[in-house]
């Protein structure tokens, strides 16, 4: 609006330009159009395409899992409390306070008590996390810091005495806490941490110290404002009677009170600083902690994997520092599982906003005919439909991860522990990297309106971005997956067992590594390309080759460079191997999910989406398959053509597919994803 206009002027279009713009905008204010392609493009794209019939109801109930009820309760609570909804524009301090009030409201008013589910029913716990994160991602992370990180460390690394003492206070938020692992100089390299916890046998206490500035605990969520306790990771130092005088037992976890429970004053010997304004997640108060001779009782050692007796003797059921360290970190994978799961939630939101808008927005068209919906442009389908297919694929893969994690928590089966560790590392890194890229692609797919803060992409992108780094940097985590694959590969040749997810390597080494079959390399019928066996074989063939070739390269280079140097020389190869393996797991789980779907129409829709996921991935990596003649030139062309056709078919049911996600507040707050009324309010808000 022209700022010189008077109030009276505002009710009338003041000139023809404004009138034209209003007329133009009103084109977008019609109700959400039926989900048919623009007829003219329908003909252009594929004359014979027949639309699948799919009903989002049964599909949605198949997707949802069993914990929808508690999610609904959370949404209802926040819907009924506008004072607890995060406004678009909010200062960091206000956001932090609001976030704490949201958390308090959730626990004390809505009576959602999540803590026991962390161990007893992780699937329910993750469903709560997802719902909470979709109210405000800062809230989801603050919730995760309290229950997965601070609470999870007490439950998983401590013993009964810790559970008895802290459970209730953590659950009802009387004891807000932090997880203080990262230091200024060491993030990914946790074994390099320098904070010390020295046992004093005279007073029966540990003394916590920050030996230098590089050892200041940094980025600690909940530390800057609200936390009263911290689980501090520090090197356990024991006095000895030898010439050294002390012995370093490696990194252990300790409960350290940081603020007074009543006055909230910072306790003596502790300095707390604020990490300040961040790129996103500003509802979370990240802080830095320095300890100077802070004394804590011996009981505050979280002693599940290692203990110190009254006379200063160390005991552990695990024989080496490395084994204890692995067991400690192994217990913390829950946070990683939660992030992978939550990241799929963010991807669903982002894809839903972009697809809904693309079904609403019209631009250009053939002469003298209505403009076409932007989702009918092949380029737009190419941007969004494989992404929609990937979202479905990741949904089932992370559901599988949660199932395996829950099973692991019940059985503590050693092999399962290793499997879940590698799978959670792989899926967390693969999914969060994919979602981060997709958020930008979705913003761009919504043109200029995607850039308005009210339409969510900015906050989603900024808040989600760090998912790639915390709970383990993605590049570092993928290396753990590669390392695990190589270990399995080596074990296989020594006759060892293969863990569940890796099982396919058993056959693949024999079957897939023989020369590609020149006959099947030429098969190009649609039935063959849509056969799950062909798709899975192709994924696994690629992983097996990468595994075999990188193993050979590592062997060769380690002779001259040593193992560290050889690993670095092959690092990109190793990362590709890890991603390829994770894609194989994702596809296998998607295929299972299609086959297990009880509703015929939903199954047909899922099969279509699964085929698009598989063939799009193969097409994106077609060079690899062509290089070794796994796929002949004509077959490559057929894959490309079929991928485009499937994208078009998925476009035809895109509305139902996104509705089946059944998404809560974030989407309904993005006017461009909504029906005309919300869109109209949006345009009014900016002054029309
Ligand atoms: C908002 C936020 C909240 C956080 N909350 C907490 C918290 O509550 N508690 C806590 O303890 N920590 C927390 N952290 C810290 C977080 O876990 C670390 O930032 C993370 O582990 C990465 O460590 P770093 O920052 O030291 O990165 P670095 O390890 O220094 O990594 C920097 C870069 O180097 C690369 N790199 C590192 N090592 C390798 C390698 N071996 N091979 C190849 N590339 C490599 C990485 O890929 C990355 O790109 C938080 C961080 C942020 C930003």
């Amino acid at each position: 609006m022209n700022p010189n206009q008077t109030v009276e002027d505002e009710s009338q279009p003041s000139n023809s330009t404004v009138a034209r713009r209003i007329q133009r905008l009103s084109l977008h204010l019609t109700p959400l159009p039926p989900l048919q392609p623009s007829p003219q493009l329908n003909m252009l794209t594929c004359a014979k395409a027949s639309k699948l019939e799919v009903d989002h109801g049964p599909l949605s109930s198949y997707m949802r899992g069993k914990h929808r009820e508690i999610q609904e309760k959370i949404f209802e609570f926040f819907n009924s409390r506008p004072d607890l909804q995060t406004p678009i524009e909010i200062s960091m301090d206000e956001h932090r306070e609001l976030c704490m009030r949201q958390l308090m409201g959730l626990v004390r008013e809505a009576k959602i008590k999540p803590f026991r589910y962390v161990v007893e029913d992780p699937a329910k716990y993750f469903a709560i996390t997802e719902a909470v994160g979709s109210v405000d991602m800062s809230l989801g992370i603050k919730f995760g810091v309290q229950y997965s990180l601070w609470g999870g460390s007490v439950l998983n690394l401590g013993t009964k005495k810790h559970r008895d003492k802290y459970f209730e206070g953590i659950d009802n938020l009387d004891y807000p806490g932090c997880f203080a692992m990262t230091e200024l100089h060491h993030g990914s390299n946790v074994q390099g941490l320098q904070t010390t916890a020295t046992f004093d046998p005279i007073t029966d206490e540990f003394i916590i110290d920050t030996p230098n500035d590089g050892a200041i605990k940094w980025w600690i969520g909940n530390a800057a404002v609200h936390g009263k306790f911290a689980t501090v990771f520090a090197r356990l130092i024991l006095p000895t009677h030898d010439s050294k005088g002390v012995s370093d037992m490696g990194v252990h976890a300790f409960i350290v009170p940081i603020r007074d429970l009543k006055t909230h004053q910072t306790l003596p010997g502790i300095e707390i600083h604020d990490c300040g304004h961040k790129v996103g997640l500003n509802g979370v108060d990240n802080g830095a902690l320095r300890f100077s001779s802070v004394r804590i009782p011996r009981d505050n050692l979280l002693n599940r994997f290692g203990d110190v007796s009254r006379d200063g003797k160390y005991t552990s059921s695990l024989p080496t520092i490395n084994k204890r360290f692995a067991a400690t970190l192994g217990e913390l994978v829950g946070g990683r599982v939660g992030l992978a799961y939550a990241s799929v939630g963010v991807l669903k939101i982002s894809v839903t906003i972009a697809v809904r808008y693309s079904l609403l927005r019209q631009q250009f068209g053939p002469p003298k005919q209505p403009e076409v919906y932007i989702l009918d442009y092949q380029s737009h389908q190419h941007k969004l439909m494989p992404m929609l297919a990937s979202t479905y694929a990741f949904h089932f893969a992370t559901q599988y991860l949660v199932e395996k994690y829950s099973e692991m928590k019940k059985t503590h089966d050693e092999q399962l522990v290793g499997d879940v560790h590698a799978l959670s590392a792989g899926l967390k890194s693969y999914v969060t990297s994919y979602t981060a890229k997709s958020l930008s692609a979705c913003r761009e797919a919504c043109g200029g309106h995607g850039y308005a803060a009210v339409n969510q992409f900015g906050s989603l992108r900024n808040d989600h971005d760090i998912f790639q780094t915390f709970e383990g940097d993605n590049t570092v985590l993928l290396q753990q997956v590669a390392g695990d694959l190589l270990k399995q590969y080596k074990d296989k040749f020594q006759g060892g067992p293969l863990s569940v997810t890796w099982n396919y390597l058993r056959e693949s080494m024999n079957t897939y590594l023989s020369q590609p079959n020149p006959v099947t390399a030429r098969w190009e019928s649609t039935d063959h390309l849509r056969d799950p066996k062909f798709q899975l074989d192709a994924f696994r063939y690629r992983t097996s080759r990468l595994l075999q070739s990188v193993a050979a390269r590592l062997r060769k280079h380690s002779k001259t460079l040593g193992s560290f140097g050889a690993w670095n020389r092959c690092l990109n190869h190793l990362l590709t191997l890890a991603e390829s393996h994770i894609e194989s797991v994702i596809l296998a789980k998607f295929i299972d999910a299609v086959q297990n779907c009880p509703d015929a129409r939903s199954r047909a829709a899922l099969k279509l989406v699964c085929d698009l996921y598989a063939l799009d991935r193969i097409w994106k990596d077609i060079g690899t398959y062509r290089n070794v003649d796994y796929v002949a030139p004509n077959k490559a062309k057929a894959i490309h053509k079929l991928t485009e056709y499937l994208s078009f078919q998925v476009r035809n049911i895109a509305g139902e597919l996104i509705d089946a996600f059944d998404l809560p507040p974030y989407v309904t707050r993005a006017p461009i994803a909504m029906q005309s009324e919300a869109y109209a309010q949006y345009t009014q808000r900016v002054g029309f």
Side-chain angles (χ1 to χ4, degrees):
M1 192 186 79
N2 176 352
N4 298 325
Q5 262 178 274
T6 62
V7 173
E8 287 78 13
D9 287 335
E10 280 179 31
S11 58
Q12 298 293 324
S14 62
N15 56 43
S16 59
T17 315
V18 172
R20 264 203 315 278
R21 293 192 71 182
I22 289 175
Q23 196 189 10
R24 183 96 204 118
L25 273 166
S26 68
L27 285 174
H28 303 292
L29 303 184
T30 47
L32 204 64
L35 304 171
Q36 306 296 330
S38 322
Q40 58 279 42
L41 278 200
N42 192 355
M43 279 170 358
L44 287 177
T45 315
C46 181
K48 287 192 208 125
S50 59
K51 183 177 182 283
L52 270 181
E53 290 298 327
V54 52
D55 175 358
H56 81 260
L59 180 56
S60 184
S61 34
Y62 182 57
M63 301 276 293
R64 267 182 205 163
K66 52 184 177 175
H67 296 302
R68 186 61 179 179
E69 211 174 290
I70 196 153
Q71 293 191 323
E72 300 275 4
K73 193 172 163 193
I74 294 168
F75 301 144
E76 270 163 31
F77 172 71
F78 283 103
N79 272 343
S80 71
R81 293 291 302 272
D83 59 311
L84 291 182
Q85 290 164 17
T86 312
I88 300 290
E89 287 166 38
I90 183 166
S91 73
M92 180 183 78
D93 290 339
E94 284 168 339
H95 198 176
R96 286 172 169 185
E97 281 318 308
L98 174 62
C99 207
M100 192 61 191
R101 279 194 288 118
Q102 289 171 330
L103 190 56
M104 288 284 191
L106 181 83
V107 173
R108 296 189 179 172
E109 293 173 49
K111 307 275 182 232
I112 305 283
K113 292 292 196 80
F115 197 28
R116 73 192 139 110
Y117 303 129
V118 169
V119 173
E120 284 170 22
D121 190 352
K124 189 163 187 172
Y125 175 75
F126 293 127
I128 298 173
T129 316
E130 185 190 26
V132 167
S134 76
V135 172
D136 180 336
M137 229 184 291
S138 282
L139 174 62
I141 296 302
K142 199 167 176 79
F143 176 93
V145 169
Q146 174 69 9
Y147 295 109
S148 294
L149 297 182
W150 150 237
S153 60
V154 173
L155 288 189
N156 294 314
L157 302 180
T159 46
K160 184 171 178 303
K161 63 182 175 187
H162 301 112
R163 191 190 162 96
D164 291 348
K165 185 165 174 190
Y166 294 98
F167 189 95
E168 198 47 41
I170 293 174
D171 201 24
N172 67 21
L173 293 174
D174 280 346
Y175 297 169
C178 323
F179 178 88
M181 182 179 267
T182 304
E183 294 174 359
L184 191 51
H185 281 183
H186 289 99
S188 304
N189 181 8
V190 182
Q191 267 176 311
L193 296 182
Q194 292 178 296
T195 304
T196 53
T198 309
F199 183 60
D200 178 352
I202 299 170
T203 60
D204 197 22
E205 289 171 321
F206 289 106
I207 308 163
I208 310 290
D209 269 304
T210 302
N212 55 59
D213 284 357
I216 295 172
K217 294 290 177 187
W218 206 270
W219 283 130
I220 310 307
N222 239 355
V225 182
H226 297 122
K228 297 210 192 272
F229 294 88
T231 294
V232 174
F233 289 80
R235 316 195 77 80
L236 169 53
I237 309 292
L238 288 181
T240 55
H241 301 295
D242 58 17
S243 57
K244 279 208 266 168
V246 290
S247 174
D248 180 343
M249 305 308 295
V251 175
H252 286 65
F254 302 82
I255 295 178
V256 182
I258 58 171
R259 289 191 176 90
D260 186 275
L261 272 178
K262 287 207 182 90
T263 65
H264 204 62
Q265 288 298 308
T266 304
L267 292 172
I270 294 172
E271 256 181 78
I272 304 180
H273 293 274
D274 196 323
C275 290
H277 198 252
K278 304 187 291 289
V279 170
L281 294 180
N282 278 303
V284 184
D285 50 315
N286 292 90
L289 299 166
R290 186 205 290 270
F291 304 97
S292 310
S293 301
V294 175
R295 288 179 170 269
I296 54 167
R298 182 167 55 90
D299 264 352
N300 284 22
L301 165 66
L302 291 169
N303 60 343
R304 177 160 162 211
F305 296 117
D307 205 357
V308 175
S309 62
R310 176 66 190 90
D311 58 354
K313 294 245 163 42
Y314 186 81
T315 49
S316 171
S317 54
L318 299 164
T320 61
I321 286 191
N322 280 350
K323 285 223 151 82
R324 290 194 287 273
F325 181 71
T328 302
L329 292 196
E331 281 303 329
L332 302 174
V333 296
R336 214 168 271 163
V337 176
L339 276 194
Y341 192 82
S343 184
V344 181
V346 175
L347 184 59
K348 283 180 191 165
I349 290 165
S350 174
V351 170
T352 300
I353 297 172
V355 170
R356 279 216 187 148
Y357 181 61
S358 305
L359 289 166
L360 182 73
R361 179 75 165 179
Q362 292 166 280
Q363 291 289 302
F364 302 101
K368 301 204 172 77
Q369 292 196 40
E371 290 189 302
V372 300
Y373 302 120
I374 56 176
L375 196 53
D376 285 329
Y377 287 108
Q378 193 183 47
S379 53
H380 222 71
Q381 286 170 15
H382 181 68
K383 280 178 206 167
L384 294 181
M385 295 304 98
M387 197 191 289
L388 179 54
S390 298
T391 312
Y392 268 81
F394 300 168
H395 170 90
F396 293 114
T398 47
Q399 262 193 349
Y400 170 74
L401 173 63
V402 169
E403 273 164 34
K404 288 280 137 197
Y405 176 76
S406 308
E407 202 181 317
M408 178 196 92
K409 281 276 155 212
K410 280 201 189 91
T411 62
H412 299 284
D413 176 86
E414 210 178 299
Q415 203 170 319
L416 198 54
V417 171
D419 204 14
V420 169
H421 185 82
L423 188 62
S424 60
L427 276 176
K428 182 269 181 188
S429 50
Y430 190 89
V431 169
T432 58
S433 294
Y434 186 95
T435 300
K437 286 185 211 103
S438 302
L439 281 161
S440 287
C442 287
R443 198 295 297 154
E444 188 257 318
C446 293
H449 290 315
Y451 202 60
V454 71
N455 286 318
Q456 309 287 338
F457 290 117
S459 56
L460 286 169
R461 189 165 59 182
N462 288 352
D463 288 346
H464 176 276
D465 191 69
I466 195 64
F467 281 36
Q468 299 174 97
T469 301
F470 57 24
E471 292 288 334
D473 170 85
N474 283 357
T475 307
V476 174
L477 290 183
L478 283 177
Q479 291 179 59
Q480 293 177 13
V481 178
D484 195 65
L485 280 165
L486 282 157
K487 185 175 166 298
Q488 303 267 344
Y489 179 70
K490 207 170 124 210
D491 288 353
K492 181 194 138 58
F493 288 111
Q494 290 164 357
L498 286 166
S499 54
V500 190
T501 319
W502 288 194
N503 235 339
Y504 71 89
L505 292 173
R506 194 190 308 277
E507 308 117 52
S508 62
M509 286 302 138
N510 307 327
T511 322
Y512 302 137
L513 291 181
S514 49
Q515 280 308 303
N517 182 331
V519 179
T520 47
R522 280 170 180 71
W523 285 353
E524 52 189 81
S525 74
T526 302
D527 282 351
H528 167 67
L529 298 180
R530 295 189 68 173
D531 182 348
K533 175 156 172 28
F534 158 69
Q535 298 163 357
L536 210 45
D537 275 355
F539 275 50
R540 290 173 170 182
Y541 170 79
R542 185 185 51 175
T543 311
S544 303
R545 275 198 81 92
L546 285 163
L547 179 54
Q548 195 201 36
S549 53
V550 84
R553 285 187 65 208
L554 282 171
R555 247 193 322 273
K556 180 179 133 202
H557 289 303
S558 57
K559 287 183 193 135
T560 48
L561 301 173
S563 55
F564 189 88
W567 187 269
N568 197 22
R569 174 66 72 88
C570 302
L571 196 45
N572 291 332
H573 195 158
L574 288 158
L575 298 176
T576 310
L577 163 68
E579 285 172 340
S580 173
H581 168 66
I582 289 302
E583 285 177 351
S584 303
V585 176
I586 292 171
L587 179 62
K589 294 303 138 200
F590 200 174
I591 289 170
D592 287 351
V594 174
Q595 285 164 358
N596 295 335
C597 180
D599 174 64
R601 283 182 170 181
S602 304
R603 194 165 57 247
L606 288 174
K607 168 79 177 111
L608 176 68
V609 176
C610 184
D611 287 343
L612 176 59
Y613 172 73
L615 293 175
D616 176 69
R617 283 305 312 133
I618 294 173
W619 174 248
K620 288 212 166 87
D621 225 359
I622 200 70
T624 306
Y625 293 105
R626 281 291 304 115
N627 275 346
V628 290
D629 269 335
Y630 190 85
V631 163
N634 278 350
K635 185 166 185 168
K637 258 194 234 158
I639 290 171
H640 184 217
K641 244 174 92 183
L642 185 55
T643 307
E644 283 184 348
Y645 171 77
L646 293 174
S647 277
F648 173 72
Q649 285 283 56
V650 170
R651 177 263 173 261
N652 279 343
I653 56 166
E656 285 88 346
L657 288 171
I658 52 171
D659 283 350
F661 293 149
D662 202 6
L663 286 174
Y666 256 119
V667 173
T668 48
R669 286 204 306 264
I672 58 166
M674 294 312 295
Q675 301 281 343
S676 54
E677 204 182 311
Y679 202 19
Q681 281 166 8
Y682 163 54
T683 52
Q684 277 161 14
R685 191 173 168 273
V686 292
F688 286 101

